[in-house]
Amino acid sequence: MTTLTMKVNGKTRTGDAEGRTLLVQFLRDELELTGTHVGCDTSQCGACVVHVNGKPVKSCTMFANEADGAEIVTIEGQAAEDGTLTAVQQAFQDHHGLQCGFCTPGMVMSATALLKENPKPTEADIRHYLEGNICRCTGYHNIIKAIYAASGQDVSSIAAE
Amino acid sequence: MPKDGIGASTKRREDIRFLTGNGNYTDDINMHGQTYAHFLRSDIAHGKINNIDTSAASEMPGVLRIFTAADFEEKGGIPCGWQVTDRFGEVMQEPKHPILAEGKVRHVGDPIAVVVAESLEQARDAAEAIELDIEELEPVLNMKEAIKDGATKVHDDLTSNLCYDWGFVEENREAVDEAIKNAHHVTTLELVNNRLVANPMEPRVAVGDYNRSNDEFTLYTTSQNPHVIRLLMGAFVLNIPEHKLRVVAPDVGGGFGTKIFHYAEEAFVTWASKVLNRPVKWTSTRSEAFISDAHGRDHVTKIELALDENHMFTAVRTDTYANMGAYLSTFAPSIPTWLHGTLMAGNYTTPLVYVNVKAVFTNTTPVDAYRGAGRPEATFQLERVVDKAARELGVDPAELRRKNFIKPEQFPYDTPVAVTYDTGNYHATLDKALEMTDYAGFEARAAESKARGKLRGYGLAHFIEACGIAPSNLVGQLGARAGLYESATVRVNATGSISVMTGSHSHGQGHETTFAQVVAEMIGIPADQIDIVHGDTSKVPMGMGTYGSRSIAVGGSAMVRATEKIINKAKKIAAHLLEASEGDIELKDGQFTVAGTDKSLAWGEVTLAAYVPHNYPLESLEPGLEETAFYDPSNFTYPSGAYICEVEVDPDTGKVDILSFTTADDFGNIINPMVVEGQVHGGVAQGIGQAMLENVTYDENGQLLTGSFMDYAMPRASDLPMYSTDHSCQTPCTHNPLGVKGCGEAGAIGSPPAVVNAVIDALQRGGYNVDHIDMPVSPSRVWSAMQKG
């Protein structure tokens, strides 16, 4: 066991991890941040996406000790202290971009990273960026709409309803 | 009407916790003193267990105990919830489904032993040290070979690998044969309905917790129906009386059918928590899910459609081999029979239908309900064969359908396959979809594609489904071992807010929002005054859970009935308080008024009187305001719709691009259009996944080749289009109080034939003589078909 320290959602957190402990396990089991989910074991589904030093990372793809000293942001660190949702979170609710909610934390973290990199993505940009995030419920339509809306663009230009 | 009543696209209240990481999924639950279970599973498809040596593994660090089948000799097997009777009047062959493999392993993934340890890592490490002596046997994989004389048997104590040979309607068998023999034209199609894995994004999890002080068990599990699990597991597997067994299905990350069933892992953790006197947790990995979650579909079918000289359908005959896998999962026998055969009339007036289904045991993971469950299999073969018939006869596929549709004035319509459709207007949904897709402009679009070297195709499918499952007395006659009613308790609090305890379970469908809209509408108070409670057998009355698009049609009806009882009682109280006759009391917008006067009382004043009965008709009315209703539907509901897919095929590679996907559904009345559209989107995506991407593949040894998201092609954002949806054609259900039909499965039922029909249309327009490609229509399959055609 090694004791690790990292800044998580703006707070300094410490915890113990084995060498083989994945970052996602450390976040869920040691820091009790269960908003980050595990949907697969081959780094395909994206339910575990968090931000590590400002970049979106599937937290099942790195060991916890690789994140020692890093700055981590998880889904729990998105909404404001008073509960106000971020623009991306609010757009997911407004556009019904989630159903069961299990992929949602990863989707929100990926979408947030996308809009940081590319503030006005096209529909194709969004679909391409979500290559590593699988949703089984929504058929993606409303996720695409939500992210497009969160970018401040008019969704009626992409949604064929 | 409150702004969040029936018909409003109210935003979902459950979203807030999901969007902020505050959901409470089963894997998020950790108990004090918790232990971890790891299942050692068979890595071969079929074998005789000679020995399991756990001695070295038992000595590994952290190991508490290792369990094998020997530990479960006193326990029952996993029960099957449906007994099908075959066409000769004999009941199906029903093998034992042990919690852990007894004597033989029968599929890759069959659990052999369980290690329980202080940590998950320790449990996994120890499982590696278990020594297995298993003698490999020939795997049974091909269904048609499996039922031949002398075939190796999956279950040695059964007479063969045939579970049942079912015929429906058996009395029509000869008449259908005769009609096909004498037909003007017969279109024949052989096809495979590909095996799928449901893959809800949350893998299955179970946590067992035994409390020695009161001899009570609690099971937290990823279930669509916690009461069903309590009944099956308590009564049939572990012999725990229901008052000592609580089953909780908290936030559940999608189900799609595969979380209906009672699984061995649930029984194991529940029982082991008593043996070890500590909580036991099991969390499936995705790889484990691929080999242990019940799969879906897997039919091999030959269908024949007979037509007369006017192109009217005169008979349908279909022969299907349905894979059961190695054991009978909870509802497996019902899927290829009663949920499939009863839909073979489709939207058409075909007078004669005969369905034969041979269900077969193989050395594969069990197969059971997956979104649609039997109805996609029926719809796919029917809508493909109708399309093929139109092409053979040189008539417009839309016109051929229209000509054979049940006409609006023919409802209620008795089909030749036992069910009575109450309402529908198939012409309206078809016309709507054709209009939405600019059918008339297709030729110009096809020409434009051709100019770019692409083949454009237009694919139509029309579907019917039987939802709102189901009338208990009917399904009882058909072999169900359970009732299929639903329950609700409406508890009005003293100050007027309401808790509704529903037996329906929400795992993505949004009941917490939509069910509240219904009660808000009925009483006329804001929806935020109403909470929906579900998923805990200690809180809600015994209910049957969520599947078969039944939540609003059956669970919603129970809630309406209970709310009606509440309103009736509240009116009596109001009449007393207002010194008026009960018949003159009206409830509107949360106000009780006396007709023809200006006397009124607010909802909260009446509810308070119910709990503070100082001025109350105590001699004739009990205090309190809480009512329960159980609703058993008198018929199925019959949603229907027209789905149209437009594709472009690249003739150089066989790659298919979906250019548009359009749905025109008739769901009857709708509570929340936003949620309904979301259900359609998701269903269509799963249907497109089946049609274009997904396919469970076993090799000749019974090894699963598609055992992870690396190998099994889940639809991703870039694989799918934006969808155009419409639900304006509404013929309300006539036999439930809301006039609702249900919308959860439609997308997955109607979309696969629309996609394949579009691909065939594209290829035939391009001059290729291709009349069928099995799903998934991958580039290699399309390209290969083009080379032959």
Side-chain angles (χ1 to χ4, degrees):
Chain A
M1 287 282 186
T2 314
T3 300
L4 307 177
T5 302
M6 51 190 88
K7 193 177 245 188
V8 182
N9 299 329
K11 297 185 180 112
T12 301
R13 302 286 304 265
T14 60
D16 294 334
E18 283 187 57
R20 61 180 166 178
T21 304
L22 302 172
L23 177 59
V24 65
Q25 295 172 307
F26 182 77
L27 292 170
R28 287 182 55 80
D29 300 338
E30 189 70 14
L31 303 187
E32 298 183 344
L33 292 168
T34 54
T36 301
H37 294 156
V38 180
C40 75
D41 46 10
T42 51
S43 298
Q44 293 288 303
C45 81
C48 67
V49 170
V50 299
H51 296 174
V52 179
N53 296 327
K55 295 254 190 284
V57 170
K58 288 178 175 171
S59 57
C60 70
T61 60
M62 62 189 287
F63 293 113
N65 62 25
E66 292 179 284
D68 193 20
E71 193 159 322
I72 311 286
V73 179
T74 71
I75 188 69
E76 288 91 344
Q78 293 299 290
E81 286 284 326
D82 69 355
T84 305
L85 302 180
T86 64
V88 170
Q89 288 172 314
Q90 188 59 57
F92 268 70
Q93 187 193 26
D94 292 347
H95 295 276
H96 190 26
L98 65 153
Q99 292 182 22
C100 82
F102 196 81
C103 77
T104 306
M107 285 287 177
V108 168
M109 298 310 287
S110 285
T112 303
L114 162 64
L115 296 185
K116 205 166 115 188
E117 291 171 31
N118 180 0
K120 299 285 176 203
T122 63
E123 180 198 330
D125 291 339
I126 299 170
R127 290 186 185 275
H128 179 70
Y129 199 88
L130 294 182
E131 183 66 22
N133 290 83
I134 302 177
C135 172
R136 192 56 151 169
C137 293
T138 65
Y140 302 98
H141 179 107
N142 285 341
I143 291 176
I144 307 297
K145 271 174 74 177
I147 298 171
Y148 202 74
S151 74
Q153 302 182 86
D154 177 9
V155 292
S156 66
S157 65
I158 61 164
E161 283 172 19
Chain B
M1 173 189 141
K3 71 175 170 54
D4 289 333
I6 291 174
S9 283
T10 303
K11 291 180 201 170
R12 298 197 329 166
R13 56 180 66 177
E14 44 270 80
D15 289 358
I16 303 301
R17 66 178 190 271
F18 297 145
L19 281 163
T20 54
N22 291 305
N24 183 36
Y25 299 89
T26 310
D27 194 43
D28 301 339
I29 295 170
N30 292 300
M31 315 291 293
H32 180 69
Q34 175 173 292
T35 64
Y36 296 82
H38 176 77
F39 282 71
L40 176 66
R41 298 178 185 277
S42 177
D43 58 7
I44 62 170
H46 196 193
K48 180 168 171 285
I49 302 173
N50 290 327
N51 191 40
I52 305 170
D53 182 356
T54 61
S55 53
S58 298
E59 300 304 314
M60 299 275 286
V63 173
L64 296 164
R65 184 161 166 177
I66 298 175
F67 297 81
T68 63
D71 296 296
F72 290 91
E73 280 169 1
E74 304 296 310
K75 303 297 170 197
I78 305 294
C80 178
W82 203 297
Q83 185 179 54
V84 164
T85 300
D86 74 9
R87 68 190 188 87
F88 309 104
E90 301 292 324
V91 296
M92 67 186 191
Q93 295 206 80
E94 190 170 358
K96 184 177 181 188
H97 184 178
I99 294 172
L100 297 176
E102 289 175 0
K104 271 173 91 171
V105 289
R106 295 187 175 87
H107 66 91
V108 170
D110 208 358
I112 299 167
V114 192
V115 183
V116 181
E118 295 288 350
S119 77
L120 181 58
E121 290 76 12
Q122 289 169 332
R124 283 184 183 156
D125 289 346
E128 299 266 320
I130 295 175
E131 289 189 29
L132 298 175
D133 174 5
I134 299 181
E135 181 187 334
E136 281 202 55
L137 301 170
E138 183 192 13
V140 178
L141 298 167
N142 180 295
M143 288 192 278
K144 290 181 183 175
E145 296 296 323
I147 57 173
K148 286 184 177 163
D149 287 344
T152 299
K153 288 194 285 187
V154 177
H155 295 276
D156 299 330
D157 53 337
L158 301 186
T159 59
S160 71
N161 292 316
L162 182 67
C163 178
Y164 55 73
D165 178 352
W166 183 79
F168 181 69
V169 174
E170 192 60 25
E171 302 83 76
N172 287 347
R173 186 182 175 95
E174 286 174 15
V176 169
D177 289 349
E178 198 66 18
I180 287 173
K181 201 166 76 184
N182 298 327
H184 170 73
H185 181 87
V186 178
T187 295
T188 304
L189 182 62
E190 294 189 41
L191 58 89
V192 173
N193 202 293
N194 43 327
R195 181 187 276 234
L196 305 173
V197 178
N199 276 322
M201 292 315 296
E202 178 205 32
R204 288 189 298 117
V205 184
V207 184
D209 181 29
Y210 175 71
N211 185 337
R212 190 176 273 180
S213 64
N214 57 13
D215 194 31
E216 286 181 5
F217 295 83
T218 303
L219 168 67
Y220 301 89
T221 183
T222 47
S223 176
Q224 301 176 211
N225 31 243
H227 275 104
V228 174
I229 304 305
R230 188 180 72 165
L231 179 63
L232 292 176
M233 186 176 83
F236 298 98
V237 186
L238 299 180
N239 196 21
I240 303 170
E242 283 150 297
H243 68 299
K244 293 292 183 190
L245 176 56
R246 175 186 174 204
V247 178
V248 183
D251 287 330
V252 173
F256 314 116
T258 204
K259 290 177 182 168
I260 298 170
F261 322 122
H262 176 41
Y263 287 97
E265 296 87 354
E266 295 171 319
F268 176 81
V269 299
T270 304
W271 182 72
S273 71
K274 180 175 182 180
V275 173
L276 296 166
N277 198 29
R278 287 176 66 181
V280 180
K281 181 175 191 173
W282 169 76
T283 301
S284 174
T285 63
R286 180 61 58 186
S287 301
E288 232 177 336
F290 270 100
I291 54 175
S292 68
D293 289 7
H295 292 177
R297 317 283 192 255
D298 205 349
H299 286 192
V300 176
T301 293
K302 177 184 177 187
I303 181 168
E304 294 153 287
L305 172 67
L307 301 93
D308 69 13
E309 53 279 12
N310 297 317
H311 300 163
M312 295 302 289
F313 306 159
T314 56
V316 165
R317 180 169 65 195
T318 169
D319 287 296
T320 286
Y321 293 80
N323 205 332
M324 293 286 103
Y327 304 100
L328 290 178
S329 177
T330 308
F331 287 116
S334 70
I335 310 305
T337 50
W338 299 109
L339 290 179
H340 165 248
T342 51
L343 268 295
M344 287 308 301
N347 303 99
Y348 310 109
T349 56
T350 318
L352 286 167
V353 176
Y354 182 73
V355 181
N356 181 246
V357 178
K358 295 179 181 71
V360 183
F361 294 109
T362 60
N363 289 118
T364 62
T365 296
V367 180
D368 205 325
Y370 167 58
R371 201 171 194 167
R375 290 149 291 168
E377 295 90 319
T379 303
F380 184 74
Q381 52 178 301
L382 198 54
E383 290 302 295
R384 282 288 301 119
V385 81
V386 167
D387 218 69
K388 186 167 183 239
R391 292 173 196 287
E392 287 174 357
L393 296 165
V395 299
D396 180 307
E399 281 311 308
L400 183 62
R401 286 179 171 87
R402 199 192 309 272
K403 186 172 202 168
N404 283 279
F405 275 165
I406 299 160
K407 295 180 178 59
E409 61 271 21
Q410 288 178 282
F411 293 92
Y413 183 82
D414 291 326
T415 71
V417 274
V419 290
T420 300
Y421 301 157
D422 59 341
T423 55
N425 187 340
Y426 311 143
H427 297 78
T429 41
L430 175 60
D431 288 346
K432 184 74 192 175
L434 294 173
E435 174 204 316
M436 288 167 74
T437 53
D438 182 22
Y439 189 36
F442 177 75
E443 295 299 338
R445 298 196 294 279
E448 186 274 329
S449 294
K450 197 173 176 185
R452 285 186 287 106
K454 298 288 176 65
L455 310 173
R456 199 169 182 118
Y458 186 95
L460 163 67
H462 209 286
F463 72 92
I464 179 85
E465 50 173 332
C467 297
I469 291 171
S472 292
N473 55 5
L474 173 64
V475 295
Q477 290 166 31
L478 305 182
R481 288 162 167 165
L484 287 168
Y485 61 85
E486 196 48 272
S487 66
T489 293
V490 176
R491 177 179 298 158
V492 182
N493 301 308
T495 59
S497 67
I498 295 173
S499 297
V500 178
M501 278 62 75
T502 169
S504 295
H505 186 273
S506 183
H507 33 277
Q509 297 88 343
H511 297 165
E512 292 170 33
T513 302
T514 56
F515 277 35
Q517 288 179 249
V518 173
V519 177
E521 175 84 23
M522 291 179 71
I523 297 175
I525 60 174
D528 65 9
Q529 291 297 299
I530 300 152
D531 255 3
I532 305 300
V533 178
H534 63 96
D536 185 340
T537 60
S538 72
K539 292 180 180 169
V540 306
M542 174 135 178
M544 296 306 292
T546 291
Y547 39 85
S549 304
R550 70 193 303 271
S551 288
I552 196 65
V554 190
S557 297
M559 183 176 65
V560 168
R561 292 285 185 248
T563 307
E564 286 169 351
K565 291 185 192 179
I566 291 284
I567 291 171
N568 287 341
K569 184 171 179 183
K571 281 184 174 176
K572 287 190 173 75
I573 301 168
H576 173 86
L577 295 172
L578 292 165
E579 296 174 337
S581 121
E582 188 193 327
D584 291 336
I585 301 292
E586 292 171 357
L587 172 62
K588 189 162 180 275
D589 296 335
Q591 289 285 324
F592 294 91
T593 54
V594 182
T597 75
D598 60 356
K599 291 204 283 186
S600 77
L601 274 177
W603 168 254
E605 293 177 274
V606 173
T607 62
L608 190 64
Y611 289 95
V612 188
H614 295 165
N615 175 18
Y616 192 89
L618 285 166
E619 63 286 354
S620 60
L621 210 56
E622 291 174 17
L625 204 48
E626 174 167 329
E627 298 287 350
T628 295
F630 287 75
Y631 179 86
D632 205 288
S634 60
N635 191 356
F636 295 86
T637 62
Y638 300 95
S640 59
Y643 285 10
I644 292 172
C645 180
E646 209 163 303
V647 299
E648 223 170 47
V649 178
D650 182 339
D652 295 331
T653 64
K655 184 171 185 301
V656 177
D657 281 326
I658 295 187
L659 302 178
S660 67
F661 202 99
T662 303
T663 65
D665 285 294
D666 175 1
F667 294 132
N669 293 334
I670 281 173
I671 309 303
N672 182 322
M674 175 192 82
V675 167
V676 166
E677 285 161 18
Q679 289 294 307
V680 173
H681 295 162
V684 167
Q686 289 182 348
I688 292 175
Q690 169 166 29
M692 295 188 54
L693 297 161
E694 300 175 41
N695 195 33
V696 171
T697 306
Y698 286 98
D699 76 3
E700 68 279 10
N701 298 314
Q703 288 294 335
L704 180 65
L705 299 180
T706 47
S708 79
F709 287 158
M710 310 278 277
D711 317 292
Y712 183 91
M714 290 281 280
R716 299 184 189 234
S718 54
D719 297 315
L720 296 166
M722 300 305 277
Y723 318 101
S724 300
T725 57
D726 178 87
H727 44 75
S728 63
C729 304
Q730 297 181 356
T731 60
C733 172
T734 55
H735 58 80
N736 64 42
L738 291 167
V740 292
K741 296 186 174 183
C743 64
E745 296 163 295
I749 293 170
S751 54
V755 173
V756 178
N757 288 345
V759 172
I760 298 302
D761 185 57
L763 296 182
Q764 292 197 358
R765 283 169 180 277
Y768 295 93
N769 183 25
V770 176
D771 59 17
H772 181 69
I773 301 174
D774 272 326
M775 301 184 289
V777 288
S778 59
S780 68
R781 286 187 178 184
V782 174
W783 191 84
S784 299
M786 290 168 74
Q787 305 319 302
K788 289 179 200 145

